[in-house]
Amino acid sequence: MYEVFQQYIDSKIMLTPDEAHYIRSLAVIKKLRKKQYLLQDGDVWKYDAFITRGCVRTYSVDEKGNEHVISFSIENWWTGDRESLLSGEPSRFNIDAIEDTELVLFTHPNFELICRQIPAFNNMVNAILQKSFVTAQNRIQAALSYTAEEKYINFVKKYPGFAMRIPQSMIASYLGMTPETLSRIRTQTARK
Amino acid sequence: MYEVFQQYIDSKIMLTPDEAHYIRSLAVIKKLRKKQYLLQDGDVWKYDAFITRGCVRTYSVDEKGNEHVISFSIENWWTGDRESLLSGEPSRFNIDAIEDTELVLFTHPNFELICRQIPAFNNMVNAILQKSFVTAQNRIQAALSYTAEEKYINFVKKYPGFAMRIPQSMIASYLGMTPETLSRIRTQTARK
DNA sequence: TAATTTACTTGATCTATATCAATTCCTTTC
DNA sequence: GAAAGGAATTGATATAGATCAAGTAAATTA
């Protein structure tokens, strides 16, 4: 499944065969069964991870035991806990597989090596980060501005594929509402 | 007030006198009176902006006319609308001054020039972006997980200075609650 | 394919927070 | 430093969404 990652890179930047080979030599393939953890809170996250197949969620668990979904990531996206990566502190998040999933992993030191040696790769990474930041900011705005119904409609419009493959209760959590509320919203919305 | 920016850079990276001079030659100083706009929604944002003095807020306005504060930025922070900057589309946000404010502005093409010519500067910018992303993600988590009271306590702990200089109604908006609710929370919390 | 578990739906009730309204307290301005 | 305008407080009431509970459907597992 490395080919998926290769194609992703090729769609973004031009590499010499040597460079492409160098990147591949540092990549580690990882497979996750559905429900398997990629990261558990308390552990330190040390990778840069790209999903080639499947779907993963990042979430926190509060004192009452409620799970709060911070993000979903699917094939052709990156995942991980940047906070733990940067700080070296134990993560407050969990990441687990919603479907059987395959990833391409780089240890962070290796990833930084690649960034330093291949400027185009570094630029690509930075562009992704900018996009991630914009996405996060838009999510904040949606959380502040929208009603529960608007949040759901906005979500489906923005990520049409997600609504199909991700359990409703997780989408509800991502949107900051209970599964019951989302269920009611869906029947109401469908009726219209 | 350029010195504040100079010191900021010096605290992060080492520059040759030539490089420092080059950066300075591309900088534009801008002053804002309290309540003055730096960006109005509908306009395209084209700068990279660093605050040397004062305080600014980024917010959106919904159809009902309610303002939703996306972020506060004070001296030694950056501000702007990255979404509009990257896409070239009109901004959906407003940025205005909460206090009299001074900024160091770079047009984005100039800023990119600096990044390309001074790798250390580029790295600094990327590090800032990573931090911004982590901050945004933490804010999402707080918005999903906390009660109104917890949100406020968390905010004061995280940004002790802000609670002093920013009007309560704006903090309430930032936290996703009404000014009345925040007022009540404050009197309750004080009583404890 | 039956059994078991897990996810979703629907209904009744509750509650945190919003809304509306009046009053007081600060700023700003002239 | 008086007047005016905006911000914060406080009270009464309303409501979106949460919680609790039961039933139904769908997915796993045996």
PDB file of all heavy atoms in Angstrom, chain A residues 147-163:
ATOM      1  N   THR A 147     -26.149  26.239  15.130  1.00  0.00           N
ATOM      2  CA  THR A 147     -27.014  25.366  15.923  1.00  0.00           C
ATOM      3  C   THR A 147     -26.634  23.924  15.607  1.00  0.00           C
ATOM      4  O   THR A 147     -25.918  23.652  14.638  1.00  0.00           O
ATOM      5  CB  THR A 147     -28.480  25.568  15.544  1.00  0.00           C
ATOM      6  OG1 THR A 147     -28.644  25.175  14.171  1.00  0.00           O
ATOM      7  CG2 THR A 147     -28.918  27.016  15.711  1.00  0.00           C
ATOM      8  N   ALA A 148     -27.172  23.018  16.402  1.00  0.00           N
ATOM      9  CA  ALA A 148     -26.870  21.596  16.191  1.00  0.00           C
ATOM     10  C   ALA A 148     -27.231  21.187  14.761  1.00  0.00           C
ATOM     11  O   ALA A 148     -26.462  20.512  14.088  1.00  0.00           O
ATOM     12  CB  ALA A 148     -27.632  20.749  17.204  1.00  0.00           C
ATOM     13  N   GLU A 149     -28.389  21.613  14.298  1.00  0.00           N
ATOM     14  CA  GLU A 149     -28.809  21.222  12.951  1.00  0.00           C
ATOM     15  C   GLU A 149     -27.863  21.790  11.890  1.00  0.00           C
ATOM     16  O   GLU A 149     -27.455  21.087  10.964  1.00  0.00           O
ATOM     17  CB  GLU A 149     -30.241  21.705  12.675  1.00  0.00           C
ATOM     18  CG  GLU A 149     -30.747  21.216  11.336  1.00  0.00           C
ATOM     19  CD  GLU A 149     -32.186  21.654  11.045  1.00  0.00           C
ATOM     20  OE1 GLU A 149     -32.714  22.531  11.763  1.00  0.00           O
ATOM     21  OE2 GLU A 149     -32.768  21.112  10.096  1.00  0.00           O
ATOM     22  N   GLU A 150     -27.513  23.057  12.034  1.00  0.00           N
ATOM     23  CA  GLU A 150     -26.594  23.678  11.078  1.00  0.00           C
ATOM     24  C   GLU A 150     -25.238  22.974  11.069  1.00  0.00           C
ATOM     25  O   GLU A 150     -24.618  22.793  10.023  1.00  0.00           O
ATOM     26  CB  GLU A 150     -26.410  25.167  11.399  1.00  0.00           C
ATOM     27  CG  GLU A 150     -27.630  26.016  11.082  1.00  0.00           C
ATOM     28  CD  GLU A 150     -27.558  27.414  11.714  1.00  0.00           C
ATOM     29  OE1 GLU A 150     -26.775  27.613  12.671  1.00  0.00           O
ATOM     30  OE2 GLU A 150     -28.298  28.291  11.260  1.00  0.00           O
ATOM     31  N   LYS A 151     -24.792  22.582  12.261  1.00  0.00           N
ATOM     32  CA  LYS A 151     -23.511  21.885  12.348  1.00  0.00           C
ATOM     33  C   LYS A 151     -23.543  20.602  11.523  1.00  0.00           C
ATOM     34  O   LYS A 151     -22.601  20.293  10.793  1.00  0.00           O
ATOM     35  CB  LYS A 151     -23.190  21.538  13.814  1.00  0.00           C
ATOM     36  CG  LYS A 151     -22.658  22.697  14.616  1.00  0.00           C
ATOM     37  CD  LYS A 151     -22.456  22.306  16.082  1.00  0.00           C
ATOM     38  CE  LYS A 151     -22.378  23.531  16.961  1.00  0.00           C
ATOM     39  NZ  LYS A 151     -22.401  23.192  18.396  1.00  0.00           N
ATOM     40  N   TYR A 152     -24.632  19.874  11.652  1.00  0.00           N
ATOM     41  CA  TYR A 152     -24.720  18.602  10.924  1.00  0.00           C
ATOM     42  C   TYR A 152     -24.799  18.817   9.421  1.00  0.00           C
ATOM     43  O   TYR A 152     -24.086  18.165   8.644  1.00  0.00           O
ATOM     44  CB  TYR A 152     -25.922  17.783  11.407  1.00  0.00           C
ATOM     45  CG  TYR A 152     -26.068  16.490  10.654  1.00  0.00           C
ATOM     46  CD1 TYR A 152     -25.103  15.486  10.771  1.00  0.00           C
ATOM     47  CD2 TYR A 152     -27.141  16.273   9.799  1.00  0.00           C
ATOM     48  CE1 TYR A 152     -25.216  14.312  10.066  1.00  0.00           C
ATOM     49  CE2 TYR A 152     -27.259  15.084   9.089  1.00  0.00           C
ATOM     50  CZ  TYR A 152     -26.289  14.113   9.228  1.00  0.00           C
ATOM     51  OH  TYR A 152     -26.402  12.939   8.521  1.00  0.00           O
ATOM     52  N   ILE A 153     -25.642  19.736   8.992  1.00  0.00           N
ATOM     53  CA  ILE A 153     -25.790  20.021   7.560  1.00  0.00           C
ATOM     54  C   ILE A 153     -24.451  20.464   6.974  1.00  0.00           C
ATOM     55  O   ILE A 153     -24.022  20.009   5.914  1.00  0.00           O
ATOM     56  CB  ILE A 153     -26.877  21.097   7.340  1.00  0.00           C
ATOM     57  CG1 ILE A 153     -28.253  20.513   7.670  1.00  0.00           C
ATOM     58  CG2 ILE A 153     -26.842  21.622   5.909  1.00  0.00           C
ATOM     59  CD1 ILE A 153     -29.368  21.545   7.739  1.00  0.00           C
ATOM     60  N   ASN A 154     -23.775  21.333   7.690  1.00  0.00           N
ATOM     61  CA  ASN A 154     -22.460  21.818   7.289  1.00  0.00           C
ATOM     62  C   ASN A 154     -21.449  20.671   7.181  1.00  0.00           C
ATOM     63  O   ASN A 154     -20.672  20.591   6.229  1.00  0.00           O
ATOM     64  CB  ASN A 154     -22.007  22.851   8.326  1.00  0.00           C
ATOM     65  CG  ASN A 154     -20.647  23.427   8.013  1.00  0.00           C
ATOM     66  OD1 ASN A 154     -20.429  23.950   6.933  1.00  0.00           O
ATOM     67  ND2 ASN A 154     -19.735  23.314   8.959  1.00  0.00           N
ATOM     68  N   PHE A 155     -21.518  19.767   8.145  1.00  0.00           N
ATOM     69  CA  PHE A 155     -20.593  18.626   8.143  1.00  0.00           C
ATOM     70  C   PHE A 155     -20.811  17.730   6.932  1.00  0.00           C
ATOM     71  O   PHE A 155     -19.857  17.356   6.243  1.00  0.00           O
ATOM     72  CB  PHE A 155     -20.781  17.820   9.434  1.00  0.00           C
ATOM     73  CG  PHE A 155     -19.972  16.554   9.497  1.00  0.00           C
ATOM     74  CD1 PHE A 155     -18.628  16.587   9.849  1.00  0.00           C
ATOM     75  CD2 PHE A 155     -20.554  15.332   9.203  1.00  0.00           C
ATOM     76  CE1 PHE A 155     -17.875  15.421   9.911  1.00  0.00           C
ATOM     77  CE2 PHE A 155     -19.809  14.167   9.251  1.00  0.00           C
ATOM     78  CZ  PHE A 155     -18.473  14.207   9.609  1.00  0.00           C
ATOM     79  N   VAL A 156     -22.052  17.415   6.665  1.00  0.00           N
ATOM     80  CA  VAL A 156     -22.368  16.522   5.542  1.00  0.00           C
ATOM     81  C   VAL A 156     -21.964  17.164   4.212  1.00  0.00           C
ATOM     82  O   VAL A 156     -21.426  16.503   3.329  1.00  0.00           O
ATOM     83  CB  VAL A 156     -23.872  16.177   5.517  1.00  0.00           C
ATOM     84  CG1 VAL A 156     -24.227  15.403   4.251  1.00  0.00           C
ATOM     85  CG2 VAL A 156     -24.241  15.385   6.756  1.00  0.00           C
ATOM     86  N   LYS A 157     -22.197  18.472   4.123  1.00  0.00           N
ATOM     87  CA  LYS A 157     -21.826  19.167   2.891  1.00  0.00           C
ATOM     88  C   LYS A 157     -20.304  19.161   2.706  1.00  0.00           C
ATOM     89  O   LYS A 157     -19.791  18.953   1.606  1.00  0.00           O
ATOM     90  CB  LYS A 157     -22.344  20.617   2.954  1.00  0.00           C
ATOM     91  CG  LYS A 157     -22.230  21.354   1.623  1.00  0.00           C
ATOM     92  CD  LYS A 157     -23.134  22.592   1.573  1.00  0.00           C
ATOM     93  CE  LYS A 157     -22.943  23.488   2.791  1.00  0.00           C
ATOM     94  NZ  LYS A 157     -23.750  24.715   2.729  1.00  0.00           N
ATOM     95  N   LYS A 158     -19.598  19.358   3.807  1.00  0.00           N
ATOM     96  CA  LYS A 158     -18.138  19.467   3.736  1.00  0.00           C
ATOM     97  C   LYS A 158     -17.465  18.106   3.549  1.00  0.00           C
ATOM     98  O   LYS A 158     -16.455  17.991   2.858  1.00  0.00           O
ATOM     99  CB  LYS A 158     -17.639  20.117   5.031  1.00  0.00           C
ATOM    100  CG  LYS A 158     -16.324  20.862   4.855  1.00  0.00           C
ATOM    101  CD  LYS A 158     -16.180  21.915   5.944  1.00  0.00           C
ATOM    102  CE  LYS A 158     -14.945  22.761   5.778  1.00  0.00           C
ATOM    103  NZ  LYS A 158     -14.906  23.845   6.776  1.00  0.00           N
ATOM    104  N   TYR A 159     -18.005  17.099   4.202  1.00  0.00           N
ATOM    105  CA  TYR A 159     -17.405  15.759   4.145  1.00  0.00           C
ATOM    106  C   TYR A 159     -18.466  14.723   3.786  1.00  0.00           C
ATOM    107  O   TYR A 159     -18.846  13.907   4.627  1.00  0.00           O
ATOM    108  CB  TYR A 159     -16.792  15.399   5.496  1.00  0.00           C
ATOM    109  CG  TYR A 159     -15.816  16.419   6.033  1.00  0.00           C
ATOM    110  CD1 TYR A 159     -16.172  17.250   7.098  1.00  0.00           C
ATOM    111  CD2 TYR A 159     -14.538  16.554   5.480  1.00  0.00           C
ATOM    112  CE1 TYR A 159     -15.274  18.182   7.605  1.00  0.00           C
ATOM    113  CE2 TYR A 159     -13.641  17.482   5.983  1.00  0.00           C
ATOM    114  CZ  TYR A 159     -14.016  18.287   7.044  1.00  0.00           C
ATOM    115  OH  TYR A 159     -13.134  19.209   7.549  1.00  0.00           O
ATOM    116  N   PRO A 160     -18.927  14.755   2.530  1.00  0.00           N
ATOM    117  CA  PRO A 160     -20.059  13.886   2.163  1.00  0.00           C
ATOM    118  C   PRO A 160     -19.740  12.412   2.412  1.00  0.00           C
ATOM    119  O   PRO A 160     -20.617  11.652   2.846  1.00  0.00           O
ATOM    120  CB  PRO A 160     -20.226  14.143   0.666  1.00  0.00           C
ATOM    121  CG  PRO A 160     -19.430  15.361   0.343  1.00  0.00           C
ATOM    122  CD  PRO A 160     -18.368  15.493   1.394  1.00  0.00           C
ATOM    123  N   GLY A 161     -18.506  12.010   2.162  1.00  0.00           N
ATOM    124  CA  GLY A 161     -18.144  10.613   2.331  1.00  0.00           C
ATOM    125  C   GLY A 161     -18.178  10.146   3.773  1.00  0.00           C
ATOM    126  O   GLY A 161     -18.533   9.014   4.064  1.00  0.00           O
ATOM    127  N   PHE A 162     -17.857  11.031   4.681  1.00  0.00           N
ATOM    128  CA  PHE A 162     -17.737  10.646   6.089  1.00  0.00           C
ATOM    129  C   PHE A 162     -19.053  10.159   6.675  1.00  0.00           C
ATOM    130  O   PHE A 162     -19.084   9.189   7.423  1.00  0.00           O
ATOM    131  CB  PHE A 162     -17.247  11.833   6.923  1.00  0.00           C
ATOM    132  CG  PHE A 162     -15.779  12.098   6.781  1.00  0.00           C
ATOM    133  CD1 PHE A 162     -15.112  11.861   5.591  1.00  0.00           C
ATOM    134  CD2 PHE A 162     -15.046  12.605   7.843  1.00  0.00           C
ATOM    135  CE1 PHE A 162     -13.750  12.113   5.458  1.00  0.00           C
ATOM    136  CE2 PHE A 162     -13.685  12.851   7.721  1.00  0.00           C
ATOM    137  CZ  PHE A 162     -13.043  12.611   6.531  1.00  0.00           C
ATOM    138  N   ALA A 163     -20.120  10.861   6.343  1.00  0.00           N
ATOM    139  CA  ALA A 163     -21.410  10.529   6.936  1.00  0.00           C
ATOM    140  C   ALA A 163     -21.786   9.074   6.641  1.00  0.00           C
ATOM    141  O   ALA A 163     -22.503   8.438   7.411  1.00  0.00           O
ATOM    142  CB  ALA A 163     -22.487  11.475   6.413  1.00  0.00           C
TER     143      ALA A 163
END
